[in-house]
Amino acid sequence: MSEPLGPSRVTQISRLDYQPRELQIRKVRLVIEDGPQKGEEWVLEKDLIRLGTKEDNDLVLQDKTVSRYHAELLRDNQDMLLRDLESTNGTYLDSHRVREVYLKPNTVFRVGATPIRFEPTSEQLQIYPSRHEQMGDLIGRSLKMREIFGVLEKIAPTDVTIIIEGDTGTGKELVARAVHTFSRRAKKPFVVLDCGAVPETLIESELFGHEKGSFTGAVMSRPGVFESADGGTLFLDEIGELPVDLQPKLLRVLEQREVRRVGSNSTRKIDVRVVAATNRHLREQVKAGQFREDLYYRLAVVQITMPALRERPDDILPLVRHFLKRIPSNRNGDGSLRVQELSEEVRDRLEVYPWPGNVRELYNVIERACSFAESREITPLDLPDQLRGELTGASRGLPIQKNLPFKDAKERIVELFEREYLVELLRRNNFNMSQAAREAQIDRKSIGRLLKKHGIRIHGLKDVDED
């Protein structure tokens, strides 16, 4: 018998002893020491801060001796570099005119006639799981996903650079889009470049642009993705595929916030927030000399790791509900949903399947099932071969992940067996724990411990020991 596709029967158990994640956001405080703006201060978390009289500077100064674009502060790892931008009246430190100099904490420098105190600071944020189960197109009621939502809610309004790691199909681009959507850059461009999909001979041009005639086939000048994303967000997918010889050039752009097109002698200023993603372990690539360490730390100001779908099975049914509303072919002529439900058997199979292709694979499975379904309900016959076998592991074989070490593969099989066995055992016994324990010839508390071990709770479960 089927049920409406309502709230998932598997939900994450909340922990009262939850320890919040701590996140440090580096900032800069600039205080005007004298002049018409004396006492004014700005607190900024940007890696590049421009000072001048033009309104598009980060620090707009009302001083006739200050140039339109007078100077800039540039974060270089843990230090801050003060750089003069060929101003008319100069930038000074301790009465010495400087072109560029590293600033010490509480240093007073002068642009034109305006003295400014530099104070590095930071904000320590405690990140708790979000109360929301959706952020943009990201869906998740599991603790792992709500922890990610909690991070995104804090960092999206800032300009910090982010790197997203996770297996293929886990939703890394959706994270980047959510960051953009909930930032002050939301009305500006969101540009995507898949570094692994562009031939090595063209990747530099794609990133930085090129001038007409700069190479064979360059019949006209063309901006790169950094220029196209100016004012907005640039998502560099599969950053681990970036050729080693291009990594220093990308680092320079991130540090100086300016690009030089291929074949050009001039640079162009850019204002872009970079979000990068990879399905590789970049730390391992750094150790192996395949990825620059300084570039890694420039990108990984904040690091987010997307969990595999098998690690958050309680998100599967909410995702399915979301997909049923989004699949174009699942609409009747009047706009109503053609397929609205999953059979109970299908639910169980979706929850125990290991999903090697993650959320992307789940979407494809549901899209296919909607095409095959002959009623408002998806049944096992509508599923692809890998999901259509008998429910029990003994008859259809639990999926073995052969790419894992023996110990990890064995643990995964045991986890799937325990989960499958418990769900079927409790269903046969009308969700009565005592009755199920007698059939399985185990202690009732053992069932409770196993349920808690896997972080699941089943609606309608009777005789539950909550201690």
Side-chain angles (χ1 to χ4, degrees), residues 14 32 44 85 164 168 191 221 282 308 339 384 444:
S14 298
I32 297 182
L44 304 163
L85 298 178
I164 310 161
T168 299
V191 179
S221 297
L282 280 191
V339 178
R444 181 176 60 83

Side-chain angles (χ1 to χ4, degrees), residues 365-377:
V365 165
I366 299 303
E367 184 177 38
R368 176 192 185 278
C370 285
S371 299
F372 278 79
E374 296 181 354
S375 68
R376 65 197 300 270
E377 173 186 273

